[in-house]
Amino acid sequence: MAVKHAHDFFFQWHLTDRCNLACTHCYQEGAKTTEMSLSQVKAVIEEIADMIEIWSWNYGIDFSPSLNITGGEPFLHRDIFEILEELRRRRFEIFLLSNGTLINKDKARFLSWLGMKGVQVSIEGPEEIHDSIRGRGSFASSLRGIEHLVNEGVMVSLNVTLSDINADRLPDMVALSSSLGVQRLGFSRLVPSGRGAELMDRILERDRVRDLYQRIFSIESDGLKIVTGDPLASQMFRSSNSLDEGTVPLGGCAAGISGLTLLPDGTVLPCRRLPVPIGNVKKDSLREIWAISDVLNALRDKSRYKGKCGKCGKWANCRGCRAIAYAYSRLTGMPDFLSEDPQCYY
């Protein structure tokens, strides 16, 4: 069958809730879940592989499936190495999201051998800021992990969660990234849920978000690529002046469009930061969840969106961050994942 074009689709798989840090901005709700057994994990990997293969055959699309493996801290999962080897055997593109503190020389060498597509390590700013958020001594431990990865030739991205705590230190982060020899610097906005709900007073105002993004993308640094999955930031690169780009979602927020999240107990979410369960892989088919979930279908329907997101001409390629919209609405006592993105500056 002739393949027409490629399409990215990713799963973000939180293998464990266990973590060796207790970050003040963590979006996890705090409840610990029972992890699936290794045999159950392997069964899900097989289902994901079959799902992508069937889609590719049925639709004539060359899907580029990737798995973002994370936690908690993924290196605290008892079977992490065997799971990563199984994914390699299945020829998935594997990305690892970690705090970096547990990555020693041997682990870095193993990740290099796997052909890991990349490792994202969370760094929140210079040492005093990072440690104030993630715990004393965590900055130095994370940098040692990053050094091991770079030395083994693994592609490394640093990721910053932006808030009033660290927004003015982005130039420092560019300098740090360059000095460490990492290839990418990414950023995302603080989601006020879980422990992060206590930081509502440190959330950036919409005008400051706009000004900050303009500054970030004006920074030039040889060999360092600045990246983000933030749908608001992505609109800065779009040249279209159309007042209405349509009602078919094409890009922007991945929830319901180009990815799914799996939790340690098999619960499926549209996005890890959007805690709205839509099924469980231990009893539900992933293909059926993707096709018939009321939540996912609502996320794909512009007429269901509230406020200015429902009226915006950029909807098809943006839709705002659904997780932030939901987190804000929960704090007002009226949870709604279709409400407008409160930090949108368009």
Side-chain angles (χ1 to χ4, degrees):
M1 185 174 188
V3 172
K4 299 175 182 176
H5 59 276
H7 180 77
D8 291 329
F9 193 91
F10 73 94
F11 288 86
Q12 180 151 313
W13 197 338
H14 295 253
L15 293 175
T16 181
D17 285 327
R18 288 178 288 168
C19 190
N20 58 324
L21 302 181
C23 305
T24 58
H25 62 10
C26 184
Y27 53 76
Q28 297 195 146
E29 301 289 338
K32 300 300 184 215
T33 55
T34 302
E35 297 171 7
M36 288 188 287
S37 67
L38 180 59
S39 62
Q40 288 174 320
V41 168
K42 288 185 175 182
V44 174
I45 292 173
E46 182 175 3
E47 181 180 1
I48 292 173
D50 290 345
M51 172 180 172
I52 297 299
E53 183 179 355
I54 290 169
W55 279 355
S56 297
W57 177 258
N58 286 348
Y59 304 118
I61 297 174
D62 181 18
F63 283 89
S64 301
S66 64
L67 273 108
N68 299 338
I69 299 297
T70 186
E73 170 49 49
F75 281 111
L76 290 175
H77 191 282
R78 62 188 179 275
D79 299 313
I80 182 62
F81 300 107
E82 191 166 350
I83 290 170
L84 291 176
E85 286 193 67
E86 177 67 11
L87 291 171
R88 177 180 182 267
R89 188 180 70 81
R90 290 280 189 169
R91 299 183 178 178
F92 280 98
E93 291 187 345
I94 314 169
F95 296 83
L96 191 75
L97 283 59
S98 169
N99 61 43
T101 62
L102 301 180
I103 299 177
N104 56 25
K105 187 179 297 185
D106 289 339
K107 290 188 178 77
R109 187 174 296 121
F110 172 75
L111 296 179
S112 178
W113 170 80
L114 277 176
M116 183 75 54
K117 294 295 290 185
V119 176
Q120 176 183 295
V121 179
S122 298
I123 299 289
E124 307 304 344
E127 185 168 14
E128 69 277 10
I129 289 180
H130 180 93
D131 282 4
S132 72
I133 294 170
R134 292 184 169 263
R136 190 173 182 178
S138 60
F139 182 83
S141 296
S142 294
L143 259 57
R144 282 194 294 271
I146 292 167
E147 183 180 2
H148 291 311
L149 292 167
V150 171
N151 288 343
E152 292 297 331
V154 178
M155 193 193 81
V156 180
S157 300
L158 303 189
N159 191 74
V160 186
T161 300
L162 295 174
S163 70
D164 183 58
I165 299 171
N166 58 9
D168 292 331
R169 305 302 294 271
L170 256 297
D172 297 318
M173 288 302 300
V174 173
L176 175 64
S177 301
S178 297
S179 69
L180 291 171
V182 305
Q183 293 85 358
R184 296 185 175 190
L185 172 62
F187 61 89
S188 56
R189 287 180 277 154
L190 172 64
V191 177
S193 62
R195 282 194 294 272
E198 301 298 320
L199 297 177
M200 267 300 295
D201 61 335
R202 311 307 296 270
I203 297 291
L204 298 171
E205 297 292 333
R206 64 184 66 182
D207 288 344
R208 194 170 176 201
V209 172
R210 178 198 60 220
D211 294 344
L212 179 60
Y213 284 3
Q214 289 173 343
R215 284 174 49 209
I216 290 172
F217 291 121
S218 68
I219 294 173
E220 295 184 6
S221 180
D222 291 341
L224 179 68
K225 185 175 183 180
I226 297 179
V227 298
T228 183
D230 190 322
L232 296 186
S234 69
Q235 300 312 298
M236 290 188 166
F237 301 107
R238 293 187 56 78
S239 59
S240 173
N241 294 317
S242 171
L243 295 177
D244 187 354
E245 296 181 352
T247 59
V248 176
L250 302 172
C253 180
I257 310 302
S258 58
L260 286 172
T261 292
L262 306 179
L263 299 189
D265 66 350
T267 298
V268 184
L269 304 178
C271 163
R272 179 59 185 97
R273 302 189 302 171
L274 180 55
V276 180
I278 55 176
N280 190 294
V281 289
K282 290 188 290 190
K283 61 182 180 64
D284 301 312
S285 158
L286 282 170
R287 288 179 64 202
E288 287 188 4
I289 291 172
W290 187 252
I292 68 175
S293 165
D294 291 338
V295 170
L296 296 185
N297 284 320
L299 287 165
R300 300 162 184 155
D301 185 351
K302 182 177 181 179
S303 69
R304 304 280 297 275
Y305 281 62
K306 314 291 174 51
K308 64 180 182 180
C309 283
K311 303 171 185 175
C312 183
K314 298 179 181 294
W315 182 90
N317 290 288
C318 180
R319 295 180 306 288
C321 175
R322 294 298 92 213
I324 291 177
Y326 183 69
Y328 267 77
S329 67
R330 287 177 78 184
L331 293 173
T332 65
M334 300 179 64
D336 186 353
F337 57 85
L338 297 170
S339 60
E340 69 177 44
D341 184 330
Q343 290 176 299
C344 178
Y345 44 83
Y346 292 106

